[in-house]
Amino acid sequence: MADEPLVLGIETSCDETGVGIVRGTTLLADAIASSVDTHARFGGVVPEIASRAHLESMVPTIERALKEAGISARDLDGIAVTAGPGLAGALLVGVSAAKAYAYALNKPLYGVNHLASHICVDQLEHGPLPEPTMALLVSGGHSSLLLAPDITNDVRPMGATIDDAAGEAFDKIARVLNLGFPGGPVIDRLAKEGDPKAIAFPRGLSGSRDPAYDFSFSGLKTSVARWVEAKRAAGEEVPVRDVAASFQEAVVDVLTRKAVRACKDEGVDHLMIGGGVAANSRLRALAQERCERAGIRLRVPRPGLCTDNGAMVAALGAEMVARNRSASDLDLSADSSLPVTDTHVPGSAHHHDHDHVHEVSKDNLYS
């Protein structure tokens, strides 16, 4: 069992109810219920709506995943769940469901970190992660450069965004251009028909005195918005495709340049890119080009595994079981700002046998 653990993963950090089932590094099922359409008319994710949608989707999505994997819940070796970071109410739905299943099935529970899960998902596509792995995680909520000597208990922050996350910037520029929500896919599509050199938008934190691995997208966002406003004020037509292409180029230029520099500085010959923005076609292409030039091997999961999903949580859970990391206690709580250095939330007792759930009284199960 230890080398090929069968684990179910639950992810509810934002607006996707994701349930994945993994055997070792093999993906057996990846079921997702998204509430993105419900949020679109508000132009962003509404936490309360997300939490309610998770509540409604949770059991059907778990049942769909079990059916897809062709297994019974009793066959599982463990239940993994995103314990943070994310929206507090949304996380709570996933954590509560995971506790209930772990308790009812008498299986160990693993509360894992959302960001470490984004890195670990690549194992499902390209096999075991090299150690150490350099990872660039870019999504709606995060832009981080991380060094992971051991994905189950040693992840080190190299750099992060000091203001907006990359995905957030995409959403805001899409709003400026009246392109709807979410902004990433539509900007990616329009940029293909635009000229990335048309407008010289600023590259944040690229000066010699700036932090080498940190990102900033707030100045870029303001610059694009002002440029568009000036065009409109002058009664000119806004070249939406060129704006999309030039904005996108400014973002991916900085992301890839800093990631490749970190690999060189740390002597790491692999770069893994994950998170929702890693589905962006220009980011993938430019990263490939720059990694080849630097002699670095690039690993990017397919787009469906880059956005939030349960498979990534199951992948990290399976790695926890395989490496014999301690399970979480059943009074595990969600932590909306769980630091990336906490790859998982270990239980207080480090000697968990499979009967550990019986020591828990039903009173504190909901504390």
Side-chain angles (χ1 to χ4, degrees):
M1 175 208 110
D3 51 342
E4 292 275 281
L6 183 64
V7 173
L8 178 136
I10 296 173
E11 153 59 30
T12 62
S13 68
C14 192
D15 60 336
E16 249 96 25
T17 310
V19 178
I21 297 172
V22 161
R23 191 187 297 281
T25 57
T26 309
L27 179 60
L28 303 184
D30 183 18
I32 289 183
S34 171
S35 61
V36 69
D37 297 343
T38 328
H39 303 279
R41 63 195 179 99
F42 300 104
V45 175
V46 184
E48 181 61 21
I49 292 177
S51 304
R52 282 166 191 262
H54 288 311
L55 208 51
E56 287 167 17
S57 315
M58 184 57 65
V59 174
T61 310
I62 289 176
E63 286 174 353
R64 201 165 85 230
L66 289 167
K67 196 174 166 190
E68 196 184 311
I71 62 157
S72 143
R74 284 181 185 74
D75 305 332
L76 294 166
D77 296 313
I79 309 267
V81 62
T82 301
L87 300 171
L91 288 166
L92 276 170
V93 180
V95 168
S96 304
K99 287 183 190 177
Y101 276 91
Y103 183 73
L105 297 164
N106 192 15
K107 304 288 181 187
L109 172 71
Y110 296 87
V112 301
N113 188 296
H114 180 77
L115 298 180
S117 302
H118 267 304
I119 301 175
C120 200
V121 75
D122 195 53
Q123 297 204 145
L124 305 179
E125 196 150 24
H126 300 119
L129 285 168
E131 294 184 331
T133 285
M134 182 71 71
L136 171 67
L137 290 188
V138 274
S139 68
H142 309 278
S143 298
S144 317
L145 202 47
L146 306 166
L147 183 66
D150 177 343
I151 196 58
T152 62
N153 72 358
D154 187 4
V155 175
R156 303 167 193 179
M158 302 282 294
T161 180
I162 60 168
D163 41 51
D164 296 44
E168 218 177 332
F170 272 88
D171 287 339
K172 287 176 179 172
I173 294 311
R175 200 174 303 153
V176 167
L177 296 171
N178 303 322
L179 299 174
F181 173 86
V186 63
I187 287 182
D188 192 358
R189 197 170 63 241
L190 289 170
K192 289 190 172 80
E193 299 161 22
D195 176 4
K197 295 194 179 80
I199 311 149
F201 288 131
R203 274 36 176 180
L205 298 187
S206 289
S208 54
R209 295 183 170 196
D210 288 322
Y213 311 127
D214 284 340
F215 307 104
S216 166
F217 298 111
S218 158
L220 167 65
K221 199 186 65 193
T222 306
S223 170
V224 177
R226 290 214 174 116
W227 193 93
V228 171
E229 278 160 21
K231 276 276 182 224
R232 285 183 182 143
E236 295 173 37
E237 200 177 319
V238 176
V240 175
R241 289 170 175 76
D242 286 350
V243 173
S246 301
F247 158 73
Q248 177 174 277
E249 198 66 18
V251 174
V252 303
D253 177 21
V254 175
L255 288 172
T256 53
R257 194 175 330 142
K258 293 200 173 208
V260 168
R261 182 198 295 180
C263 287
K264 285 182 179 165
D265 291 352
E266 293 293 321
V268 177
D269 62 356
H270 278 75
L271 172 65
M272 182 271 160
I273 303 185
V277 181
N280 180 279
S281 64
R282 181 61 188 144
L283 175 60
R284 297 166 93 92
L286 190 58
Q288 187 63 53
E289 197 181 298
R290 288 186 166 161
C291 282
E292 273 173 20
R293 215 177 302 149
I296 294 164
R297 205 170 133 232
L298 178 68
R299 292 171 59 127
V300 194
R302 62 182 181 271
L305 290 180
C306 289
T307 45
D308 292 350
N309 61 78
M312 66 190 210
V313 178
L316 184 52
E319 201 55 44
M320 295 287 174
V321 177
R323 297 192 186 205
N324 227 355
R325 302 285 176 232
S326 68
S328 304
D329 291 332
L330 274 180
D331 60 1
L332 169 74
S333 59
D335 181 350
S336 61
S337 53
L338 187 70
V340 68
T341 45
D342 293 356
T343 54
H344 81 302
V345 184
S348 47
H350 288 291
H351 309 289
H352 280 292
D353 50 40
H354 279 312
D355 290 336
H356 71 287
V357 288
H358 295 310
E359 300 151 22
V360 177
S361 72
K362 290 229 167 68
D363 299 341
N364 68 9
L365 192 60
Y366 306 103
S367 63

